Amino acid sequence: MKYALIFPGQGVQRPGMGRDIYEKYQSAKDVFEEADNALGYKISNVIFNGSEEELMLTEVAQPAILTVSIAAMRALEEEMGAELAPFCMAGHSLGEYTSLVAAGAMSVSDGVRLVAKRGELMQKAVPVGMGSMAAIVGLELPDVSAVCAEASQGEVCQAANINAPKQIVISGNADAVSRAVRIIDEKYAARVVPMRVSAPFHCILMSGVGEIMKGELAKVAWKKPKCPIITNVDAKPVTDIPDICDSLYRQTFSPVMWCQSVLEMQKNGVEEYIELGQGNVLTGLVRKICKGVRPHLTGKLDELLATADFISGRADTDARG
């Protein structure tokens, strides 16, 4: 059985996420403790006892989500009594960093420090209220790109997340995104969902963040990942550290090619997808991209136990032939 591990991005954070897994598995506790020590404050306390507003802060949300996702993975391995052996891994935006921690390419400590810095830089890159993002449901990429070109008028408005064939997020200057929304309302039978984000991610307004992150990535004690990582920017598998760093640099100000990434995994024979961490956002997107596929979840204890049973059962069946 070929399966992929997939990791969610910002927006899935919820107060109390991962608590039941933390309370049951020592391996999960160890991840939270490592994150606390690396960040210099108890992000575990923010995750379990903080407010929704605290977790909304980009520099908090990103390391919090990474921590919960890796804790879920370690707990799943502890429950199974065996190391996971995915064919590949992929993550949505922030989740790409999580996938690199999961694949052993960098430590939990380096991972949470990197994404906390990334979140801080993203937050400061554009003044609050000057940028925005909106999800467009019902239009394919060529139409969305045409709308963005018409709406830009010298400002930035571009496709930022290609999540599914007809689910695309746009990002840029707030006025340009507002113009795009008006154009869609007037010309197309599509639904627009404003996004609750604090900055316009994955557009060229973030290019300065990318330059600083290039230096931060150079400080990491990298190791070769144990399996290929499907990158956001190219939707192709990589294993070499220079390619990984280049992909993370470009990812900062380039669209997340999630739909294309899932299709690449499917093309290479991936049959099952396991979403590690809070929520089921990626599960829903995979179902839209690959009809008939039912990904597995691990964000809650009952989901994790069911996923462990599934993997163990399939592994036994495969071994018996």
Side-chain angles (χ1 to χ4, degrees):
M1 173 184 65
K2 282 186 178 179
Y3 64 89
L5 304 184
I6 56 177
F7 299 89
Q10 192 168 341
V12 301
Q13 67 271 10
R14 298 290 183 275
M17 60 182 180
R19 184 193 292 273
D20 53 355
I21 292 170
Y22 171 89
E23 291 174 347
K24 181 174 174 62
Y25 298 99
Q26 182 59 48
S27 56
K29 286 188 177 74
D30 292 343
V31 173
F32 278 92
E33 183 177 348
E34 185 174 349
D36 287 347
N37 291 336
L39 293 169
Y41 71 95
K42 286 192 174 294
I43 195 167
S44 55
N45 186 56
V46 178
I47 293 168
F48 297 145
N49 303 307
S51 66
E52 189 171 342
E53 289 70 25
E54 287 177 283
L55 275 175
M56 277 287 290
L57 295 172
T58 302
E59 64 266 35
V60 175
Q62 295 197 17
I65 293 164
L66 186 152
T67 299
V68 170
S69 290
I70 297 299
M73 187 192 79
R74 299 276 173 82
L76 182 59
E77 291 180 327
E78 183 178 337
E79 180 65 35
M80 294 169 54
E83 188 174 307
L84 291 164
F87 175 74
C88 64
M89 300 187 192
H92 192 287
S93 186
L94 151 72
E96 187 169 335
Y97 286 79
T98 312
S99 72
L100 290 161
V101 175
M106 62 176 157
S107 65
V108 172
S109 296
D110 277 340
V112 294
R113 283 194 292 259
L114 267 181
V115 299
K117 184 66 173 179
R118 178 178 182 262
E120 176 190 346
L121 293 169
M122 285 178 155
Q123 185 69 65
K124 292 178 178 177
V126 178
V128 175
M130 299 301 290
S132 67
M133 301 179 76
I136 314 301
V137 182
L139 287 186
E140 295 186 348
L141 183 58
D143 289 328
V144 172
S145 297
V147 168
C148 289
E150 182 180 347
S152 59
Q153 297 182 21
E155 294 185 307
V156 174
C157 184
Q158 65 186 83
N161 300 338
I162 296 86
N163 288 333
K166 291 187 177 183
Q167 186 171 327
I168 297 166
V169 175
I170 61 174
S171 179
N173 295 107
D175 288 344
V177 171
S178 294
R179 286 192 293 270
V181 170
R182 286 197 297 272
I183 292 167
I184 291 168
D185 286 342
E186 292 168 2
K187 294 185 177 181
Y188 298 94
R191 184 162 59 96
V192 179
V193 182
M195 298 189 67
R196 293 179 62 200
V197 294
S198 53
F201 306 138
H202 298 292
C203 72
I204 59 172
L205 295 175
M206 292 288 143
S207 57
V209 176
E211 293 302 321
I212 299 173
M213 285 303 297
K214 190 185 291 187
E216 297 297 320
L217 293 167
K219 300 175 185 177
V220 171
W222 291 100
K223 296 180 181 178
K224 191 176 182 68
K226 66 182 181 181
C227 68
I229 306 297
I230 311 299
T231 67
N232 286 180
V233 291
D234 297 315
K236 297 295 180 185
V238 299
T239 55
D240 293 336
I241 301 307
D243 293 336
I244 287 169
C245 290
D246 179 63
S247 296
L248 292 176
Y249 158 68
R250 290 187 291 129
Q251 184 230 68
T252 311
F253 52 84
S254 302
V256 173
M257 312 288 278
W258 182 252
C259 180
Q260 295 88 336
S261 296
V262 173
L263 292 173
E264 175 70 14
M265 289 186 275
Q266 184 185 45
K267 184 183 78 174
N268 283 283
V270 170
E271 303 166 272
E272 305 287 348
Y273 299 83
I274 299 167
E275 182 170 0
L276 285 147
Q278 171 66 27
N280 60 0
V281 170
L282 298 187
T283 292
L285 295 177
V286 168
R287 285 175 172 168
K288 290 179 180 178
I289 298 163
C290 305
K291 301 299 182 184
V293 171
R294 294 181 62 82
H296 307 275
L297 300 170
T298 62
K300 298 177 182 176
L301 182 57
D302 58 341
E303 295 169 344
L304 186 145
L305 294 172
T307 298
D309 287 344
F310 172 80
I311 297 172
S312 299
R314 285 298 296 269
D316 291 343
T317 301
D318 292 346
R320 292 194 298 268

